[in-house]
Amino acid sequence: MPRRNDIESAFRSAMHTAPGGKRTVTTEDFVHELSRINWFCSLRTANHWIEMSVSVFSDITPDASESRTFVLSGLNGGH
């Protein structure tokens, strides 16, 4: 089982800067980065971790799928 630091590092590695400068992360990219440190989880589990551990990201997914997109919100609108 990875340490919390490893999971947080995987989350940061999954982040991208979208056109317009907003920082985003998809559940799929997060799961991919976790797999690189030998931590395999479902999209649902990854979404739960994001929801419980990263309060500065908001879900902007347009549908009810488990493949979700989160955007940095709050201070400075993610710029």
Side-chain angles (χ1 to χ4, degrees), residues 17-30:
T17 303
K22 295 233 180 219
R23 301 195 83 186
T24 63
V25 64
T26 65
T27 308
E28 291 172 342
D29 288 341
F30 181 41

Side-chain angles (χ1 to χ4, degrees), residues 3-75:
R3 297 173 302 190
R4 181 168 176 85
N5 292 2
D6 295 336
I7 297 169
E8 291 170 354
S9 178
F11 183 79
R12 283 190 303 277
S13 294
M15 279 192 261
H16 300 283
T17 303
K22 295 233 180 219
R23 301 195 83 186
T24 63
V25 64
T26 65
T27 308
E28 291 172 342
D29 288 341
F30 181 41
V31 167
H32 173 75
E33 291 298 326
L34 287 169
S35 72
R36 293 179 59 174
I37 58 169
N38 295 320
W39 178 251
F40 303 96
C41 67
S42 67
L43 294 175
R44 174 176 272 181
T45 301
N47 285 327
H48 181 74
W49 185 88
I50 294 168
E51 291 167 348
M52 296 295 114
S53 303
V54 190
S55 63
V56 296
F57 276 78
S58 300
D59 184 0
I60 60 167
T61 309
D63 56 30
S65 75
E66 291 295 329
S67 179
R68 294 164 60 187
T69 301
F70 296 86
V71 65
L72 182 64
S73 58
L75 299 175

